[in-house]
Amino acid sequence: MTTLDELARIGAQVRTLADRAAITELCDRYVHHLDASRHNDTWFDSVFTADVRLTFPFGEYKGFEGLAGFQQMARTTFERTHHLAGNYKVDLYPEGDEDAARVRAHLMAVHVRQREEPAAHFDIGGHYDAEVARTPVGWRIRRFTFDLVWNAGQGPDTGH
């Protein structure tokens, strides 16, 4: 193998590792914002594409306006939340598209209705599938589908 071939191989490996790390960080940033930034909507463009579609067992939300509605429902139903995600499976470049990836991960969340009563909470666990896209400002989530596996406690009104 020539030096140029070896450099090209190493360059491709570095790009793959950098993309994988950036996508994992994006997924962590999402769950972090769900807790730390739950009282504002200024973070959406740091995580999602403008045409994002989120699908949950209780509804579907499209675009930043849909996200604002989703966040409003969460804010008015629960005073505090605690999200944990992990076990990321990142599939880079499906169908050869170097600006796309798919992620499958596990997600658990605790939703506390009133700060003064932290023992009264609604808990969920499941996994999500996401399509992410490379944009001029970095990787962003384009589609997100949450599959609820289990829950405990009183959840939000299904009318939301």
Side-chain angles (χ1 to χ4, degrees):
M1 182 177 289
T2 68
T3 303
L4 289 178
D5 291 339
E6 181 66 11
L7 286 174
R9 186 184 67 75
I10 291 170
Q13 286 178 330
V14 168
R15 182 173 186 189
T16 296
L17 291 170
D19 284 344
R20 191 173 301 281
I23 291 166
T24 300
E25 191 275 332
L26 167 67
C27 295
D28 285 339
R29 191 166 63 241
Y30 173 46
V31 296
H32 170 79
H33 279 302
L34 287 174
D35 298 331
S37 305
R38 61 188 318 273
H39 295 291
N40 71 66
D41 299 335
T42 59
W43 57 272
F44 295 160
D45 64 351
S46 73
V47 175
F48 301 107
T49 61
D51 65 344
V52 66
R53 179 175 294 180
L54 282 80
T55 304
F56 295 92
F58 51 84
E60 186 170 88
Y61 302 88
K62 298 175 187 171
F64 290 168
E65 286 183 25
L67 286 171
F70 170 66
Q71 284 298 101
Q72 182 61 24
M73 182 272 298
R75 284 191 286 258
T76 58
T77 306
F78 305 106
E79 282 191 29
R80 303 187 83 187
T81 58
H82 183 205
H83 292 76
L84 300 169
N87 296 348
Y88 301 112
K89 180 181 182 296
V90 178
D91 293 322
L92 293 171
Y93 323 136
E95 291 87 44
D97 183 353
E98 291 192 4
D99 293 329
R102 294 187 184 112
V103 179
R104 183 166 179 86
H106 293 185
L107 178 70
M108 291 175 48
V110 177
H111 303 81
V112 177
R113 288 185 182 279
Q114 297 179 3
R115 179 183 298 264
E116 304 80 33
E117 298 179 28
H121 46 85
F122 172 61
D123 306 331
I124 63 168
H127 41 80
Y128 69 81
D129 291 295
E131 295 175 20
V132 299
R134 186 192 315 270
T135 72
V137 293
W139 288 95
R140 297 296 184 262
I141 297 171
R142 176 172 282 147
R143 301 284 180 269
F144 181 97
T145 302
F146 180 69
D147 180 26
L148 180 69
V149 174
W150 62 269
N151 68 286
Q154 181 184 354
D157 291 338
T158 56
H160 285 291

